[in-house]
């Protein structure tokens, strides 16, 4: 009998708990969430906006398509298209907000020009500066970019500081006076892809370009202008000139920039971005006429640079 009595008491307690639980659940079912009200859209950008409302969590609909469920205020909508109008509302079991329309910002661009030169350049390193300068003085022909060039500063008295600014302090390379038909020449190798990335680290990734091949395609397509400048002069037995050329997609030295005289002058020329090579570089050469065994061939450089102009998104 005692066992039966105890079981009866447990059963009664269980029934009481179930009644309380049932009443609580029923009460919750009868009390819906507070409906979203006073919906506002702020912080509107070209690809995002912030939604805020009064009330409980709800489902967010954008142009009548549910994009988020049971989210709280404030809620940031991402991956929107620029310069596009949207209609948004928030809904839950308690009701729905008024529909609010907004328009994302238009993407605007500005031209920027990045100058590639040899400021803060350290011989043998591309950490401080990704561009490099080289010379040859014992050759009877104008050399290809792939020839055995000597980097500035690696031997003798040559150094990058002499070509880092336009200041009439020149770096000269000369053949031996007794050498016959040797041509003094400089090569300037500019890393176009790295120069752009150092200015804007997201420039290529924002355009879906991650490999060097993809980045080169973007650069060749989107660069507006490339201006090559070399301030310097040349001297040789038969003349005093400095010719400046760039390596083209036709695999040859191309261009027509020439300055004459024995004082520093600017040789300038526009280079089509299609001539960026398959590693992302533009190569430029400066040279003069050959020696004749009595007088040397010499080139003096004050300041070489490459100006790259392209479009970037404005903030």
């Amino acid at each position: 009998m005692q066992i039966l009595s105890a079981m009866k008491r447990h059963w009664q307690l269980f029934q009481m708990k179930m009644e309380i639980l049932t009443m609580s659940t029923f009460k919750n079912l009868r009390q819906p969430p507070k409906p979203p009200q006073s919906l506002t859209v702020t912080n509107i950008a070209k690809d995002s906006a912030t939604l805020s409302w009064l009330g409980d969590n709800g489902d967010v609909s954008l142009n009548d398509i549910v994009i988020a469920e049971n989210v709280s205020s404030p809620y940031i909508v991402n991956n929107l298209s620029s310069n596009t109008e949207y209609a948004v509302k928030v809904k839950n079991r308690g009701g729905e907000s008024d529909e609010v329309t907004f328009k994302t910002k238009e993407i605007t661009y500005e031209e920027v020009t990045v100058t590639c030169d040899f400021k803060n350049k350290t011989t043998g390193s591309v950490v401080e500066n990704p561009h490099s300068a080289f010379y040859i003085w014992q050759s009877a022909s104008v050399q290809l970019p792939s020839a055995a060039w000597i980097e500035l500063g690696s031997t003798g008295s040559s150094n990058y500081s002499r070509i880092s600014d336009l200041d009439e302090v020149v770096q000269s390379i000369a053949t031996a006076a007794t050498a016959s038909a040797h041509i003094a020449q400089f090569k300037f190798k500019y890393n176009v892809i790295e120069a752009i990335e150092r200015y804007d680290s997201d420039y290529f990734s924002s355009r879906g370009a991650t490999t060097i091949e993809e980045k080169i395609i973007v650069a060749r397509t989107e660069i507006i202008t490339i201006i090559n400048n070399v301030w310097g002069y040349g001297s040789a037995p038969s003349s005093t000139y400095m010719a400046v050329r760039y390596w083209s997609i036709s695999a040859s030295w191309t261009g027509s920039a020439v300055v004459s005289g024995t004082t520093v002058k600017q040789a300038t020329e526009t280079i089509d971005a299609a001539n960026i090579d398959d590693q992302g570089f533009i190569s430029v050469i400066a040279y003069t006429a050959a020696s004749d065994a009595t007088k040397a061939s010499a080139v003096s450089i004050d300041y070489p640079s490459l100006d790259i102009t392209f479009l970037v998104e404005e903030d």
Side-chain angles (χ1 to χ4, degrees), residues 38-52:
S38 303
L39 175 64
T40 59
V41 183
T42 57
N43 300 326
I44 300 172
K46 62 181 181 291
D47 58 0
S48 64
T50 301
L51 311 181
S52 302

Side-chain angles (χ1 to χ4, degrees), residues 14-208:
F14 174 75
Q15 286 181 314
M16 289 175 63
K17 289 180 180 180
M18 288 301 295
E19 288 177 2
I20 293 171
L21 181 61
T22 302
M23 289 176 64
S24 175
T25 302
F26 182 71
K27 182 179 180 181
N28 288 338
L29 289 173
R30 291 184 61 188
Q31 292 183 347
K34 295 179 181 178
Q37 295 179 333
S38 303
L39 175 64
T40 59
V41 183
T42 57
N43 300 326
I44 300 172
K46 62 181 181 291
D47 58 0
S48 64
T50 301
L51 311 181
S52 302
W53 63 90
L54 301 177
D56 291 330
N57 292 5
D59 300 340
V60 176
S61 294
L62 197 67
N63 292 347
D64 294 322
I65 298 174
V66 176
I67 62 168
E69 296 181 346
N70 194 33
V71 294
S72 61
S73 172
Y75 178 75
I76 299 176
V77 183
N78 291 304
N79 301 316
L80 301 177
S81 298
S82 63
N83 196 31
T84 302
E85 189 170 284
Y86 291 96
V88 64
K89 60 184 177 182
V90 182
K91 180 180 181 180
N92 60 24
R93 287 190 303 106
E96 66 179 32
S97 69
D98 291 334
E99 187 174 79
V100 175
T101 60
F102 68 96
K103 188 175 184 179
T104 51
K105 290 184 177 180
E106 182 179 2
I107 297 176
T108 56
Y109 297 89
E110 63 176 339
E111 283 190 11
V112 298
T113 298
V114 171
T115 297
C116 305
D117 59 20
F118 300 97
K119 289 181 174 63
N120 303 314
K121 176 66 180 179
T122 300
T123 301
S125 172
V126 292
V127 175
E128 302 85 358
N129 185 315
H131 320 299
S132 300
F134 306 86
Y135 64 91
I136 288 178
W137 78 95
Q138 294 177 323
S139 174
S141 63
V142 175
Q143 293 295 285
L144 299 177
S146 58
W149 294 83
I150 302 168
E151 186 177 4
L152 208 63
S154 58
T155 61
S157 60
S158 66
N159 63 75
Y160 278 107
S161 65
R162 293 181 180 176
I163 65 169
S164 62
D165 291 288
L166 184 58
D167 54 8
E168 296 189 359
V169 175
V170 299
Q171 173 64 64
S172 298
I173 295 296
T175 66
T178 56
S180 177
H182 283 183
I183 299 173
Q185 49 200 293
F186 282 92
K187 182 185 75 168
F188 310 109
K189 187 176 181 182
Y190 300 102
N191 191 333
V192 175
I193 303 302
E194 183 69 18
I196 294 174
E197 287 192 310
R198 291 193 182 195
Y199 177 83
D200 182 355
S201 59
D202 297 325
Y203 183 84
F204 292 108
S205 60
S206 66
R207 290 160 173 78

